[in-house]
Amino acid sequence: MPPPLIELVSIAKTYKTGKTEVPALQDINLEIEAGEVFGVIGPSGAGKSSLLRLINLLEKPTSGRLRADALELTALNPAGLRRWRRQVGMIFQHFNLLTSKTVAENVALPLRFAGIRRGPELRERVTELLARFDLSTLAQRYPAQLSGGQKQRVGIARALACRPKILLCDEPTSALDPQTTKAVLALLNAINREFGLTIVLITHEMDVIRQVCDRVAVLDGGRCVEVGPVAEVLLHPRHPATRRLVLESEKVDETEQGKDLAQSGGPIFRLTLRGEATYEPLLGSVAQAAGVDYSILSGRIDRIKGVPYGQLTLALVGGDLSTALAQFAERGVHVERLR
Ligand code: ADP
């Protein structure tokens, strides 16, 4: 296994405002692999922005170690820090474009900062970026003349101008409508594959994690309460904070759900299916073989990064329960007893 691209070891961040201290992050240990899309989710105030700002050292940790690409980030001198920041692009919820500059000038800005001030090298790179992000016809427009999706494409083109290794995304779709959100997330997936770019994305929306991320960390009250592959964390959440976020994204009211479950007789199970198995006929044949009857209490089919999954909550009544469970297991269905 190659070493992780970014490594946070026992990181803490405390803000001091006057005499009060705000512990924004505590004992964070995370490893982010090169080439992955790593999501960080949590409610407002959980510490997501603080975590993201540590990675490009807009903030310094109060304690702990921060390593990236074999560099000890907190030990960098100003020149080293400038070099590191060039490896890291960033996009923002509100795009942060310069309103007095055209699309082409916005995209050229990081190149100028990096010392490529004029000439064919600058022109060629800007032309290439505008073409890649479908912005060529908008090159001379100003940000106020663009839609939200177009502005975020300019943000992405600008962030990638200096060919960074890492792209930090700060709630990149929170200001966009659902259709545009889908398009921007698809674009992030595409550039992750195309350039082997490592993406670290913070969001408060589970749907964003579901669509674009490989792994996710859940922050709650400044602590990382769960981390793992998206399918693991979303389909089998262990921490109450994760469960809350998942149920919220599925628009399930926990109290109402509890009432529904209480009304049904028999033991209750949650079945999770993944991949093509999601679409296979299952319940009828298992019920018949085991002589059990069932009632469906809730059900959902969705996708995680394009791979389908299904989750069903069932009450099983009568028959041979152990045969039913063995048959589910045989078909690769994950079964969890809820009651
Ligand atoms: P999130 O991005 O998850 O909403 P933040 O990282 O912005 O969380 O904030 C975590 C905590 O740190 C919050 O309590 C917030 O008020 C506090 N905080 C963030 N930035 C500052 C700052 N510059 N000064 C003081 N407190 C801050």
Side-chain angles (χ1 to χ4, degrees):
M1 276 275 284
L5 181 61
I6 304 167
E7 201 178 349
L8 289 85
V9 184
S10 305
I11 287 283
K13 173 72 192 175
T14 301
Y15 295 103
K16 286 201 179 87
T17 44
K19 281 193 182 141
T20 51
E21 292 199 341
V22 183
L25 293 171
Q26 295 175 69
D27 196 26
I28 302 285
N29 293 285
L30 286 175
E31 292 184 347
I32 299 171
E33 312 293 338
E36 73 175 333
V37 184
F38 190 89
V40 179
I41 190 162
S44 176
K48 305 181 295 294
S49 314
S50 301
L51 183 66
L52 204 66
R53 288 198 304 260
L54 288 178
I55 295 175
N56 59 2
L57 287 186
L58 283 177
E59 296 283 355
K60 285 206 164 171
T62 311
S63 62
R65 287 177 49 209
L66 189 56
R67 289 169 62 86
D69 212 11
L71 292 171
E72 201 70 47
L73 292 189
T74 39
L76 290 177
N77 60 22
L81 193 58
R82 277 196 299 279
R83 268 198 305 278
W84 168 245
R85 288 208 177 118
R86 221 166 287 156
Q87 307 273 335
V88 185
M90 187 155 176
I91 61 170
F92 305 87
Q93 178 176 359
H94 297 296
F95 324 117
N96 292 18
L97 303 178
L98 292 186
T99 52
S100 61
K101 298 214 176 280
T102 64
V103 166
E105 286 163 347
N106 265 287
V107 172
L109 216 59
L111 295 162
R112 291 191 200 277
F113 282 139
I116 308 165
R117 299 201 190 283
R118 57 182 72 83
E121 194 184 351
L122 181 73
R123 275 198 305 278
E124 275 165 28
R125 180 72 181 138
V126 172
T127 306
E128 182 186 8
L129 285 159
L130 294 179
R132 170 62 189 88
F133 294 101
D134 273 340
L135 295 165
S136 305
T137 56
L138 307 175
Q140 297 314 315
R141 287 213 199 161
Y142 288 89
Q145 301 168 312
L146 302 176
S147 70
Q150 290 167 339
K151 281 185 208 167
Q152 196 55 296
R153 293 213 305 275
V154 178
I156 294 171
R158 181 182 61 179
L160 299 190
C162 292
R163 298 188 167 84
K165 276 194 179 154
I166 300 166
L167 178 65
L168 304 181
C169 306
D170 183 355
E171 299 272 4
T173 55
S174 296
L176 303 175
D177 62 68
Q179 205 63 28
T180 315
T181 292
K182 254 193 172 159
V184 167
L185 295 179
L187 186 58
L188 291 179
N189 261 331
I191 57 177
N192 162 251
R193 285 194 302 268
E194 198 174 317
F195 307 120
L197 190 72
T198 306
I199 297 183
V200 184
L201 177 150
I202 64 170
T203 179
H204 64 280
E205 293 170 296
M206 205 46 115
D207 266 335
V208 171
I209 301 285
R210 215 179 255 120
Q211 286 180 56
V212 77
C213 295
D214 298 306
R215 288 196 308 139
V216 61
V218 182
L219 288 192
D220 191 49
R223 291 185 182 273
C224 177
V225 295
E226 203 158 337
V227 59
V230 172
E232 277 305 306
V233 174
L234 264 71
L235 299 179
H236 311 293
R238 282 174 308 203
H239 193 274
T242 318
R243 267 202 295 278
R244 256 194 322 269
L245 289 163
V246 171
L247 289 177
E248 207 176 274
S249 76
E250 294 175 352
K251 306 202 170 34
V252 174
D253 180 317
E254 217 166 346
T255 326
E256 294 293 321
Q257 191 190 42
K259 281 189 211 156
D260 291 345
L261 298 194
Q263 276 189 10
S264 63
I268 297 177
F269 297 90
R270 181 164 49 217
L271 274 52
T272 305
L273 302 93
R274 293 184 55 194
E276 288 312 310
T278 307
Y279 303 120
E280 283 181 10
L282 170 81
L283 290 182
S285 52
V286 171
Q288 210 168 25
V292 297
D293 207 352
Y294 59 86
S295 53
I296 298 175
L297 304 176
S298 69
R300 167 187 178 86
I301 290 185
D302 205 339
R303 282 168 188 272
I304 290 176
K305 216 169 174 174
V307 178
Y309 71 88
Q311 272 194 322
L312 272 177
T313 307
L314 298 178
L316 297 179
V317 187
D320 181 357
L321 194 59
S322 56
T323 301
L325 297 182
Q327 293 233 343
F328 284 134
E330 234 170 64
R331 292 161 193 236
V333 180
H334 180 279
V335 180
E336 193 183 346
R337 187 163 185 161
L338 302 184
R339 188 184 74 196

